[in-house]
Amino acid sequence: MSINDIIVGKKKWRAHVSRVKALPQDYQIVYKEIQKYLFKVGTVELTDWTGLLSGIIDLFEEGAVLGKGVFEVTGSDVAAFCDDLIKDSNT
């Protein structure tokens, strides 16, 4: 990994964090719990985290725009929501 790759990765991560901070508070809390869960039991194949986590933010942004509560988007069992996201991956 080159210095340039590290710099680009940090820029992507900062942009990602900015998107999370722009979400409503309840979405931010659930997102952070999902992120912790995925990092803990995450997939071996999760080397490109941006795809999965960015997809979750996309889903959350859409739900927020539609005025849905976060549990209307994820369901009441957030761990099951996460498990469904990674069900076909090696953990």
Side-chain angles (χ1 to χ4, degrees), residues 22-24 27 57-70 73:
L23 292 169
Y27 279 88
I57 293 175
D58 291 342
L59 182 66
F60 280 11
E61 287 172 339
E62 183 179 324
V65 166
L66 294 174
K68 293 182 177 182
V70 69
V73 176

Side-chain angles (χ1 to χ4, degrees), residues 7-82:
I7 292 169
V8 169
K10 282 187 176 188
K11 285 181 182 180
K12 282 184 182 181
W13 182 252
R14 287 185 184 125
H16 179 82
V17 170
S18 294
R19 288 181 67 197
V20 172
K21 288 181 179 179
L23 292 169
Q25 187 67 30
D26 58 339
Y27 279 88
Q28 287 182 41
I29 293 168
V30 172
Y31 173 82
K32 289 176 185 177
E33 291 303 315
I34 289 172
Q35 181 182 351
K36 278 194 269 186
Y37 183 85
L38 292 176
F39 285 173
K40 183 184 269 187
V41 300
T43 66
V44 174
E45 301 160 354
L46 191 59
T47 54
D48 182 25
W49 55 266
T50 55
L52 179 62
L53 294 179
S54 292
I56 293 168
I57 293 175
D58 291 342
L59 182 66
F60 280 11
E61 287 172 339
E62 183 179 324
V65 166
L66 294 174
K68 293 182 177 182
V70 69
F71 293 122
E72 292 178 81
V73 176
T74 63
S76 60
D77 188 350
V78 178
F81 173 79
C82 294

